[in-house]
Amino acid sequence: MPQTSVVFSGILGPGGSGQVQPGMGERGSGAGDLIFQDGRLVSGSLEALMEHLVPTVDYYPDATPPLTSPALAMRAMPPAGWAFSATRSPHSSAGLHPAGLWVVLGHKRTFIFTFLLTSRVFMPPHDLLARVGQICLEQRQQLEPGPEKAKLKSFSAKIVQLLKEWTEAFPYDFQDEKALGELKAIAYRVTQCDEENGTVKKAITQMIQSLLLSLAARSQLQELREKLRPPAVDKGPVLKAKPPAAQKDILGVCCDPLVLAQQLTHIELERVSSIHPEDLMQIISHTDSLDNHRVVKKKHRTRMLEFFIDVARECFNIGNFNSMMAIISGMNLSPVARLKKTWSKVKTAKFDVLEHHMDPSSNFCNYRTALQGATQRSQTANSSREKIVIPVFNLFVKDIYFLHKIHTNHLPNGHINFKKFWEISRQIHEFMTWTQVECPFEKDKKIQSYLLTAPIYSEEALFIASFESEGPENHMEKDSWKALRTTLLHRA
């Protein structure tokens, strides 16, 4: 998608004058190594950004101004135009969804989220946590000789607040023993100044308990998904076995395109709700078989194609672009597209409209226009139904991947290009808000069960079904069909 660079170049270009952040006094030598434009942090060395993350007695990241000095009030303002509201994920079993947390924290809490999210490009979370612990220790050592215990206690409370925001936004950064051990070590150091059953110790205890609950909830969810995953099937019997006559296809379970589109939306929303911001950063930072088969009559194949065209249209109307794209892509697979006799009986006008919306030319311009319309509808919606936006997931990932790859991590002066990471964070945040919409449609267990347990056919199996439905028409197809049969017979 080469046009992506054009889309973002105006946002992330290196031009424009910047202002150096004034020195931080108690901070290390890298603390003043931050560049701001129009009051917003745009670059800095990694060390300066890490120091910017850690509170002091007089400073907390993204704290609402005014603070103790005009310089501190300039810190890490968010991109203009961001608007947030308090929401809770309907699918989250333990506390706020990470994006939900950010929404609740509001626009003054964006540097913490953005840096914790994107710093993993440069170092693993447990290394960042270790560095935070070192900075905390240095700050504490400066305060301990002083006579005012109140300052030490205030500093400790701010460190606990930072850790609390971290564990709530990214609990899975602490799922390995190393990170959890580092967290407990920092917690132990900051609670030494607190009396028995003091407020700091209580906050630490509650934070760790909530963290362990979040980790346990995710582990249980993963185990449940493994149990529900359909077993793999063997390709061997594909040419020998016929399914029992009682086996149903989708039309035997649901014949209403709108209802099926709604059930697909249920599944999509449940699945995207399990995607976390750090999962998306992981993607952009790194870059089946068959045990039965049957041939159906051309009339039934035609009806099936027209049915799924209607399902795709209903998905489009709902705002479920991911299911819509999946259906259109499935129809354009070679084993389906080659069925000329079947397609000749299909009324394709509606399909042509859908293909126009998903036309890949001009970087999927038509789809992006439709997505923008759905996004605007969602922002002004009065009902959950109008709030649904499920983007084409692989296009969304490609967008943030190219945004990450096209724009450099470091500027010529060695600073981290934080302007780039603001934009990545903004786009991930927008995606995460979409995942928090509660599906307004009534769940149909029968249809859901069919959709979730139906076998996934390999390309080989699809070609077998295709050639047995409509025989090969040219020498190339005849050679392919012969080679495929030979391969599968030997495998069996």
Side-chain angles (χ1 to χ4, degrees), residues 42-47 49-50 114-128 281-282 285-286 404 407-411 414-422 424:
V42 295
S43 74
S45 67
L46 182 58
E47 180 63 23
L49 291 169
M50 288 190 290
T114 299
F115 185 65
L116 291 177
L117 172 66
T118 60
S119 62
R120 60 200 72 226
V121 171
F122 307 98
M123 60 170 60
H126 60 78
D127 284 352
L128 174 62
M281 285 304 301
Q282 177 77 11
S285 297
H286 303 83
H404 176 56
H407 299 283
T408 180
N409 288 340
H410 293 90
L411 300 177
H415 281 191
I416 289 174
N417 182 9
F418 207 70
K419 196 173 183 180
K420 159 186 170 175
F421 292 111
W422 274 127
I424 290 176

Side-chain angles (χ1 to χ4, degrees), residues 155-212:
F155 167 71
S156 298
K158 289 177 180 177
I159 295 299
V160 172
Q161 177 61 27
L162 175 65
L163 295 176
K164 182 174 182 289
E165 292 190 32
W166 191 341
T167 56
E168 288 178 345
F170 304 100
Y172 315 117
D173 286 352
F174 304 90
Q175 59 187 343
D176 63 84
E177 293 290 335
K178 188 175 182 179
L180 193 57
E182 187 65 43
L183 175 67
K184 291 179 178 178
I186 298 174
Y188 173 75
R189 288 196 292 267
V190 300
T191 55
Q192 285 182 325
C193 67
D194 200 25
E195 61 272 9
E196 192 67 29
N197 296 321
T199 55
V200 175
K201 287 183 178 178
K202 286 181 179 178
I204 286 285
T205 301
Q206 291 173 357
M207 175 191 73
I208 292 179
Q209 287 177 345
S210 297
L211 172 62
L212 294 176

Side-chain angles (χ1 to χ4, degrees), residues 10 35 41 54 64 78 92 154 168 205 209 245 296 298 308 315 423 445 456 461:
I35 301 296
L41 176 64
V54 180
T64 303
S92 178
S154 173
E168 288 178 345
T205 301
Q209 287 177 345
V296 294
K298 180 170 65 177
F308 271 103
C315 286
E423 180 61 20
K445 293 183 178 179
I456 300 173

Side-chain angles (χ1 to χ4, degrees), residues 217-261:
R218 186 179 198 187
S219 177
Q220 291 172 1
L221 184 59
Q222 288 175 334
E223 290 176 3
L224 179 61
R225 283 181 179 149
E226 287 299 321
K227 290 179 181 178
L228 294 176
R229 189 188 303 274
V233 287
D234 183 21
K235 294 176 184 170
V238 67
L239 296 176
K240 300 181 291 183
K242 295 284 184 179
Q247 181 179 350
K248 293 182 178 180
D249 58 35
I250 185 62
L251 290 175
V253 179
C254 175
C255 59
D256 187 333
L258 175 59
V259 172
L260 186 58

Side-chain angles (χ1 to χ4, degrees), residues 47-64:
E47 180 63 23
L49 291 169
M50 288 190 290
E51 292 186 358
H52 192 62
L53 176 70
V54 180
T56 67
V57 173
D58 301 317
Y59 159 72
Y60 190 81
D62 305 324
T64 303

Side-chain angles (χ1 to χ4, degrees), residues 90-91 262 265-266 269 384 388 437-442:
H91 307 294
Q262 291 173 346
T265 302
H266 257 297
L269 284 174
S384 295
I388 295 173
V437 175
E438 187 167 9
C439 191
F441 310 123
E442 184 178 353

